[in-house]
Amino acid sequence: MRRTTALRTALSTLLLIGTWTATGGALPASAADTPARPAEAPASPALLSAMQRDLGLTRDEAEARLAAERTAAAVERAARGAAGSAYGGSWFDADRGELTVAVTRAARADAVRATGAAVRLVRYDARQLDAVKKRIDALSAPDGVGSWHVDPKANKVVVNVVAGHRDDNDVRTFLDRARGAGPVAVRQTAAAPRTFAAGTVGGDPYYTGNVRCSIGFSVHGGFVTAGHCGSTGAAVYGWDRSYIGNFQGSSFPGNDYAWVNVGSGWWTVPVVLGWGTVPDQLVRGSAEAPVGASVCRSGSTTHWHCGTVLAKNETVNYSQGAVHQMTKTSVCAQPGDSGGSFISGDQAQGVTSGGWGNCSSGGQTWHQPVNEILNRYGLRLHTA
């Protein structure tokens, strides 16, 4: 199938650098975090432009930030090992351009600093906070509770309550039980989260039934996307309504991920689309960006938008049920963007799940981390 001028440009670029290969063979038996590989440039002009627009940066500032975030991602792995059982989480400080690591024992601070990270002493380690969150996950959350996650900077589990609902009896009961689980902070969110699937609209990347969603990332043999977009076995059709394949696996709620096999004349390429308006971004790996790092999203409704990673391992309370291990961002999205790509530099991050707000007034969006999807289904990311 032929897509758009942008995709043809992306394919030409891939052919010129000798990295494009057609897919269609058997799936690999296992998968892991795809290692980062050095890129010739920090990002495509489209991604840099979106960062300038959405984060208020100059081009030089955007390039410098991406370089600092790549360094922080490498430092985080070393710092976690240096902290050992005293590790309390980490976050990227955009103003200072460095990673901060929380530790519970001063004796580990020098070893962590030696990796290049800043250090903050805290009371609770990451395992203690994860245990608190797990106990809260076991509770039944009412509609007025939007989500909850471990916040390493606050050294607590943060519960986000929808504005105007904090005094609801069922919300107050939930918060009392949550506080009984351990250290909890309550914050207000503007609106309840919702998924971003949409009814049929022409000229978009794929359809299943009367739902339009967005392709996430190419894997060898297909692509990954959001689970709420279709159930296992459902047929998938492309932008031109021709048959692509079927949902080979899908999970929602609890999780929000799925993968679709690709055939019938379609193929996969390791790019995030610019939807016919800008050059596309090559995908070179799936190294996870830290909290505080910049991240951009591409979707069939609102195209490129950028923001920052706000939290990881957050439980999101959709009306259909809770979804676990999500990453929260300040990026906006709208119906039809579901399943689309979240990328930091040239590293795949996850597929769009849902959020609140829109790209006119702003909002927040969650994504399901891509490495979890790859490992769950034994898939291998298609990289340039």
Side-chain angles (χ1 to χ4, degrees):
M1 295 297 156
R2 296 294 189 266
R3 294 191 53 82
T4 61
T5 301
L7 179 54
R8 288 194 293 271
T9 301
L11 288 172
S12 298
T13 302
L14 289 168
L15 287 166
L16 285 171
I17 63 176
T19 57
W20 180 84
T21 57
T23 60
L27 291 174
S30 63
D33 184 348
T34 304
R37 287 190 282 166
E40 296 179 0
S44 71
L47 190 145
L48 291 171
S49 176
M51 290 179 67
Q52 291 173 247
R53 178 194 64 203
D54 294 339
L55 298 177
L57 304 174
T58 66
R59 183 183 178 91
D60 287 345
E61 288 171 339
E63 290 181 343
R65 177 159 180 166
L66 287 172
E69 290 170 356
R70 285 197 298 273
T71 298
V75 167
E76 198 278 337
R77 291 188 287 272
R80 181 189 288 264
S85 61
Y87 179 75
S90 64
W91 60 94
F92 178 75
D93 187 325
D95 292 332
R96 301 175 64 180
E98 66 180 6
L99 188 79
T100 298
V101 175
V103 296
T104 57
R105 297 194 301 275
R108 306 304 304 168
D110 287 344
V112 173
R113 290 191 185 98
T115 68
V119 172
R120 179 180 295 182
L121 290 175
V122 296
R123 180 176 179 181
Y124 302 102
D125 63 45
R127 285 179 295 183
Q128 290 173 306
L129 294 175
D130 286 343
V132 173
K133 181 182 176 292
K134 188 174 182 179
R135 288 193 285 270
I136 298 174
D137 283 345
L139 303 177
S140 178
D143 290 342
V145 176
S147 62
W148 52 95
H149 69 277
V150 171
D151 185 338
K153 196 170 184 179
N155 199 227
K156 295 181 178 180
V157 174
V158 171
V159 178
N160 297 291
V161 175
V162 179
H165 288 271
R166 185 162 182 170
D167 292 330
D168 291 358
N169 288 335
D170 53 354
V171 172
R172 294 174 65 179
T173 299
F174 177 86
L175 293 177
D176 287 342
R177 296 180 67 188
R179 291 187 181 98
V184 164
V186 180
R187 296 177 185 165
Q188 180 174 291
T189 186
R194 59 190 175 92
T195 56
F196 285 129
T200 299
V201 177
D204 294 291
Y206 82 87
Y207 301 91
T208 177
N210 66 342
V211 172
R212 168 171 61 88
C213 281
S214 300
I215 293 171
F217 292 96
S218 292
V219 296
H220 289 273
F223 64 83
V224 294
T225 186
H228 71 262
C229 291
S231 58
T232 302
V236 174
Y237 300 88
W239 63 274
D240 62 352
R241 300 294 186 156
S242 63
Y243 174 72
I244 295 178
N246 296 78
F247 279 86
Q248 298 298 299
S250 180
S251 179
F252 179 80
N255 306 294
D256 194 6
Y257 50 60
W259 83 278
V260 175
N261 68 318
V262 167
S264 301
W266 291 77
W267 62 84
T268 63
V269 290
V271 298
V272 173
L273 296 173
W275 310 110
T277 59
V278 293
D280 302 322
Q281 176 65 43
L282 292 175
V283 178
R284 298 184 184 274
S286 58
E288 188 174 332
V291 170
S294 64
V295 67
C296 296
R297 180 193 55 72
S298 182
S300 61
T301 299
T302 57
H303 302 166
W304 284 101
H305 285 277
C306 297
T308 57
V309 178
L310 299 177
K312 295 184 180 182
N313 191 22
E314 182 154 31
T315 298
V316 181
N317 189 36
Y318 293 129
S319 62
Q320 300 95 327
V323 176
H324 307 290
Q325 296 180 315
M326 302 275 271
T327 296
K328 179 165 67 176
T329 76
S330 64
V331 187
C332 67
Q334 293 178 194
D337 287 326
S338 277
S341 319
F342 265 89
I343 190 166
S344 182
D346 57 12
Q347 299 297 304
Q349 298 298 305
V351 299
T352 302
S353 173
W356 59 265
N358 56 55
C359 290
S360 296
S361 58
Q364 295 177 342
T365 302
W366 286 267
H367 69 72
Q368 185 87 69
V370 68
N371 287 324
E372 179 183 358
I373 310 172
L374 300 177
N375 289 325
R376 168 63 180 83
Y377 293 119
L379 302 170
R380 185 159 59 94
L381 189 68
H382 192 173
T383 58

